[in-house]
Amino acid sequence: LFDCSFTVLNQTELMLRLHQKTAVRVFHALNLLALWALIGSGLQIYGANPVFGGRQGLAPPIFLQLGGWLAGGRHLHFFFMWLFALNLLWYGLYVVISGHGRRRYPSLQDFKALRLTTNPKRITYAWHRLTLLMMILTLLFSLYTGLGMYKPVQFDWIVESFGNDWQALRIAHFLPVVMIVILARNHIGYIFKIGDWPLLQSIFVDADRQISSQPLTPVLSAEIQAESTANHLDKDEQTNDRNLPE
């Protein structure tokens, strides 16, 4: 799940240093920035003509809006749309080429585990991977609907996929905001279940996680390091999957 190294703090503590790859950190940082700006500027645009109820309808709170006025919101939204799209594109290529996503997105084993296992950690892994996949699909759907609103003539087939109903397209483009907030909350919750605060922290900076509080001897230290490989959080998962019935 990440790169790691070991640090002996004293005679009773062995720490595992968690280190995410630079590409993962860059993607998350840019994605957070872009999504914050896109949601804020999008609410500014929707505030000029609310999705629900027209001009006299339910407008988002002013403090959530970015851009100051309609044109300012549009300028911000279109700028960060390109940052968001290019960030997804390069990271998608990186995942495919590097094989980075092999253990991060759901496989048939995850669906099988959800049906058959009673191991709570293995169930958490499976639901976390499904959450990551749903987040990617939600982000792609927001791009799809956004392109239809940005260039409705050039991408008329997107508008047509919503029955040429502009209001339906606006609502469809708004829904990913709600979905991303819910999925992001679940994503963070699963990270805490798997590796607690150090794993979440490691997305942006290196973090230490204590893996032994026993008195350390050279033999014990070597045994722990042999057991705790870069994929040490997958150890229970791999054992569990091997024992699943066919």
Side-chain angles (χ1 to χ4, degrees):
L1 292 176
F2 39 76
D3 296 330
C4 65
S5 59
F6 297 89
T7 304
V8 178
L9 296 185
N10 52 51
Q11 291 302 308
T12 61
E13 292 183 281
L14 182 65
M15 304 297 290
L16 183 69
R17 172 147 293 180
L18 308 182
H19 173 79
Q20 299 282 355
K21 295 183 183 299
T22 301
V24 174
R25 291 178 172 176
V26 171
F27 170 74
H28 277 84
L30 291 178
N31 219 34
L32 279 175
L33 173 63
L35 285 173
W36 169 74
L38 284 170
I39 291 173
S41 58
L43 292 176
Q44 179 75 57
I45 296 168
Y46 276 119
N49 186 11
V51 180
F52 305 104
R55 293 188 183 279
Q56 303 305 315
L58 182 64
I62 296 296
F63 71 89
L64 293 178
Q65 301 177 30
L66 284 178
W69 61 313
L70 176 59
R74 284 171 59 87
H75 289 321
L76 275 178
H77 203 72
F78 295 149
F79 173 80
F80 282 98
M81 175 193 74
W82 286 110
L83 176 63
F84 173 68
L86 292 173
N87 194 41
L88 272 182
L89 176 62
W90 81 259
Y91 188 69
L93 293 173
Y94 165 75
V95 165
V96 171
I97 295 171
S98 68
H100 175 76
R102 187 173 62 254
R103 303 295 293 171
R104 283 169 172 77
Y105 298 99
S107 65
L108 292 178
Q109 282 296 105
D110 291 299
F111 292 101
K112 186 177 179 181
L114 286 174
R115 287 190 299 108
L116 300 174
T117 189
T118 57
N119 184 329
K121 182 180 286 189
R122 182 64 183 90
I123 292 172
T124 299
Y125 282 137
W127 278 117
H128 189 208
R129 291 188 180 117
L130 284 171
T131 298
L132 291 175
L133 177 62
M134 291 175 67
M135 289 183 78
I136 294 297
L137 293 177
T138 300
L139 295 177
L140 291 174
F141 181 73
S142 70
L143 273 179
Y144 174 77
T145 53
L147 284 173
M149 297 182 67
Y150 179 49
K151 296 289 185 181
V153 175
Q154 291 85 345
F155 295 100
D156 59 324
W157 50 275
I158 295 180
V159 183
E160 289 173 1
S161 69
F162 289 89
N164 287 312
D165 186 333
W166 188 254
Q167 180 66 1
L169 182 59
R170 294 185 79 223
I171 292 173
H173 190 56
F174 180 80
L175 289 179
V177 174
V178 180
M179 287 296 298
I180 283 297
V181 171
I182 294 173
L183 291 170
R185 184 195 70 83
N186 292 345
H187 178 35
I188 293 171
Y190 288 133
I191 288 175
F192 266 94
K193 277 189 175 183
I194 294 169
D196 208 3
W197 171 250
L199 185 56
L200 180 64
Q201 184 184 354
S202 71
I203 296 174
F204 301 101
V205 294
D206 287 357
D208 291 328
R209 183 184 185 197
Q210 182 175 331
I211 59 173
S212 175
S213 58
Q214 305 175 53
L216 291 179
T217 65
V219 173
L220 176 60
S221 179
E223 287 177 351
I224 293 173
Q225 295 191 38
E227 290 280 331
S228 302
T229 62
N231 291 318
H232 79 286
L233 289 180
D234 285 342
K235 185 176 180 60
D236 288 344
E237 173 187 352
Q238 292 163 5
T239 302
N240 183 85
D241 286 356
R242 284 195 298 271
N243 295 330
L244 288 177
E246 295 298 332

